[in-house]
């Protein structure tokens, strides 16, 4: 089954940080979930954990090249 998984770390308006996950089947809208943290370290730890988990399950890492 063709699936996608997106992981993003975004700053909030009040100094907090959000880890945003977006997943689903390719061609569909999918689902999203946000995890909010007061500091960057918690967000980076969660993002690293989720990334390693998805890579173990067979997802590939596609990073867009800079223009």
């Amino acid at each position: 089954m063709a699936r996608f998984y997106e992981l993003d770390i975004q700053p909030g308006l009040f100094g907090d940080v959000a880890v945003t996950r977006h997943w689903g089947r390719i061609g569909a809208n999918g689902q999203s979930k946000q995890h909010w943290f007061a500091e960057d370290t918690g967000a980076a730890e969660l993002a690293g954990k989720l990334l390693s988990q998805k890579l173990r399950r067979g997802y590939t890492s596609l990073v867009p090249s800079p223009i």
Side-chain angles (χ1 to χ4, degrees), residues 4 22-31:
F4 69 91
H22 185 215
W23 69 92
R25 284 187 175 180
I26 294 176
N29 290 336
Q31 300 177 17

Side-chain angles (χ1 to χ4, degrees), residues 4-8 20-24 59:
F4 69 91
Y5 190 86
E6 298 175 11
L7 185 62
D8 192 20
T20 304
R21 303 188 291 162
H22 185 215
W23 69 92
Y59 286 85

Side-chain angles (χ1 to χ4, degrees), residues 4-67:
F4 69 91
Y5 190 86
E6 298 175 11
L7 185 62
D8 192 20
I9 299 176
Q10 302 172 350
L13 292 175
F14 304 107
D16 48 357
V17 181
V19 175
T20 304
R21 303 188 291 162
H22 185 215
W23 69 92
R25 284 187 175 180
I26 294 176
N29 290 336
Q31 300 177 17
S32 296
K33 187 170 187 178
Q34 288 186 334
H35 303 274
W36 288 91
F37 295 90
E39 297 182 3
D40 298 359
T41 56
E45 287 176 12
L46 178 64
K49 178 182 167 187
L50 292 170
L51 179 62
S52 64
Q53 181 183 50
K54 293 303 175 183
L55 290 174
R56 279 194 310 268
R57 291 185 178 177
Y59 286 85
T60 58
S61 177
L62 299 175
V63 180
S65 60
I67 295 174

